């Protein structure tokens, strides 16, 4: 059976800037940072670090209080982003005459309902409660987000969650893509959401010594991928969703198509839990190109994983140089985590949206705060200021996770 083309007909997110998709992409292209300063009232030691939050997000308003109360914050972000993507795709939220038995959800989250469990610990240990809410299990389960989506949209096909650290939503998107391409699913809702500011989670990341320092004044520029003076990553919360749809189904209903997803490749370094290896990333990129039927010369932009860590950034650039060879010097590369932060399991989803919008708008957002390039990261065309009216044909989005899990997605522009 021939493989089907896969259209991207819906995009949705909960933006840290508080606006819609257009506002989000405009601010990225302007190099505007969403990184703020998180200071909690925890005793005896508060959390104090650069962080990306979504202060304008009110789940009770967006989802309604009864529904919001049944969900951990990560699932609230996920469902809100899914509603936006579903509406953007112009699909009715409730099933009509068309059967949705093969429509499904593939969602990514690294942490799942960590906030619900931490609340439980606080209730038991700090407040002396003997019992927890009977909703704690359903609030905390990692498949909470996709379960709510399947219910809300009447999706009778697969409903699954993927937890693969920072590659979680890349793998969710890739697996959703494969199901539509094979004909197993007509429509797949996919993406990711995470909320990493649980006290124990934030402290655990801090203990790894990969977090960028900062205060209320310096936090906006704390994340500096590829920079000689980079100090580490900045965590963030949020959710991002995409609707993937069989191309013929999309065109038959007159859907607007943002772009086309054409390839997906995943590998494992199988060498170290936290230290990346270029070989595994190289194989993932090459597998993605082969899966997409693209040559390296067809790629005009790469949204890099670019976490601003000492080891991660040079390894990713080395992988790109190995794959693209002599052309690497003219390959446009940017790391938008410099502005929207690292959303862990949701990072690949928000970066997939950035990549699709870049192709649609023919504009490349920059790596912010990249004033002095680390010589170890040289060899590609680092985008330090937005480039508009670019002839962008196809692009890659890289996601490289702890555990050595690598996932790369390939997208192609659609001529409207």
């Amino acid at each position: 059976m021939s493989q089907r083309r896969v259209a991207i007909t819906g995009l949705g997110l909960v933006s840290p800037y508080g606006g819609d998709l257009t506002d989000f992409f405009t601010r990225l292209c302007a190099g505007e940072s969403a990184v703020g300063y998180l200071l909690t009232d925890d005793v005896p030691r508060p959390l104090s670090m650069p962080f990306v939050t979504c202060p304008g997000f009110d789940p009770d308003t967006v989802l309604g209080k009864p529904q919001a109360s049944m969900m951990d914050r990560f699932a609230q972000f996920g469902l809100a982003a899914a509603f936006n993507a579903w509406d953007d795709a112009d699909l009715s939220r409730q099933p009509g005459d068309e059967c949705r038995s093969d429509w499904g959800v593939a969602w990514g989250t690294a942490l799942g309902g960590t906030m619900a469990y931490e609340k439980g610990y606080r209730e038991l240990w700090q407040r002396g409660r003997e019992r927890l809410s009977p909703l704690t299990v359903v609030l905390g389960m990692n498949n909470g987000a996709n379960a709510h989506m399947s219910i809300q949209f009447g999706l009778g096909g697969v409903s699954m969650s993927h937890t693969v650290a920072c590659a979680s939503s890349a793998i969710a998107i890739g697996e959703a893509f494969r199901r539509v391409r094979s004909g197993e699913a007509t429509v797949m809702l996919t993406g990711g959401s995470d909320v990493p500011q649980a006290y124990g989670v934030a402290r655990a990341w801090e203990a790894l010594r990969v977090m960028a320092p900062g205060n209320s004044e310096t936090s906006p520029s704390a994340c500096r991928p590829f920079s000689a003076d980079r100090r580490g990553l900045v965590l963030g919360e949020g959710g991002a969703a995409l609707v993937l749809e069989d191309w013929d189904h999309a065109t038959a209903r007159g859907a607007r198509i943002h772009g086309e997803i054409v390839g997906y490749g995943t590998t494992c370094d199988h060498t170290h839990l936290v230290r990346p290896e270029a070989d595994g990333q190289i194989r993932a990129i090459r597998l993605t190109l082969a899966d997409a039927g693209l040559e390296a010369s067809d790629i005009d932009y790469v949204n890099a994983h670019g976490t601003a860590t000492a080891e991660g950034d040079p390894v990713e650039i080395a992988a790109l140089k190995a794959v693209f060879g002599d052309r690497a010097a003219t390959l446009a590369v940017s790391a938008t985590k410099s502005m929207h932060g690292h959303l862990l399991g949701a990072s690949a989803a928000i970066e997939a949206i950035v990549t699709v919008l870049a192709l649609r708008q023919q504009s490349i957002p920059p790596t912010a705060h990249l004033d002095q390039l680390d010589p170890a990261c040289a060899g590609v065309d680092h985008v330090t200021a937005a480039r508009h009216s670019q002839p962008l044909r196809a692009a890659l989005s890289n996601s490289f996770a702890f555990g050595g899990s690598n996932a790369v997605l390939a997208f192609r522009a659609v001529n409207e």
Side-chain angles (χ1 to χ4, degrees), residues 141-157:
M141 61 190 192
N142 279 30
N143 67 325
N146 54 280
H148 279 282
M149 293 172 200
S150 296
I151 293 168
Q152 288 298 311
F153 303 120
L155 309 182

Side-chain angles (χ1 to χ4, degrees), residues 329-352:
T330 59
L331 176 67
V333 175
S334 69
T336 51
K337 284 186 181 72
S338 56
M339 295 172 281
H340 58 63
H342 194 338
L343 279 61
L344 298 184
S347 61
I350 198 168
E351 288 158 10

Side-chain angles (χ1 to χ4, degrees), residues 10 50 129 137 179 210 215 240 277 337 343 367 375 383 386 396 415:
R129 300 280 176 85
V137 169
R179 285 177 179 264
V210 295
N215 55 39
E277 291 283 345
K337 284 186 181 72
L343 279 61
T367 300
V383 179
L396 301 179
N415 295 322

Side-chain angles (χ1 to χ4, degrees), residues 37 39 77 90 125-126 169 240 265 281 350 383-384 390 413:
Y37 181 60
L39 180 63
F77 277 130
D90 197 23
W125 295 341
Q126 292 183 342
S169 53
Q281 298 180 12
I350 198 168
V383 179
T384 58
Q390 299 295 294

Side-chain angles (χ1 to χ4, degrees), residues 198-348:
Y199 189 86
V201 170
R203 282 278 178 255
W205 276 92
E206 197 174 50
L208 274 176
R209 304 196 177 193
V210 295
M211 299 272 285
N215 55 39
S216 58
E217 294 182 1
T218 63
S219 286
S221 59
C223 186
R224 301 186 292 276
F226 311 122
S227 178
D229 65 349
R230 67 189 181 280
R231 298 287 300 280
L233 59 85
V234 171
L235 295 175
E237 65 174 6
L242 302 87
V243 175
L244 307 186
E245 186 172 347
D246 174 85
W247 189 277
D248 290 342
H249 184 271
T251 55
R253 69 181 185 87
R256 177 183 59 176
I257 297 175
H258 294 288
E260 182 178 5
I261 179 169
V262 292
Y264 162 56
T266 185
T267 64
C268 184
D269 294 343
H270 63 80
T271 56
H272 200 278
L273 282 173
V274 297
R275 186 178 62 240
E277 291 283 345
D279 179 66
Q281 298 180 12
I282 291 166
R283 289 186 293 114
I285 296 169
R286 286 177 172 162
L287 283 171
T288 303
L289 292 173
D291 189 53
L294 296 172
E295 301 294 332
S297 58
D298 295 319
I299 303 300
D300 295 315
Y301 169 56
V302 174
N303 186 288
H305 186 59
T307 56
T309 55
E311 287 191 332
D313 289 4
V315 170
E316 182 171 11
I317 297 302
L320 290 173
K321 289 194 290 186
V323 172
F324 289 89
D326 293 340
R327 187 171 173 270
T330 59
L331 176 67
V333 175
S334 69
T336 51
K337 284 186 181 72
S338 56
M339 295 172 281
H340 58 63
H342 194 338
L343 279 61
L344 298 184
S347 61

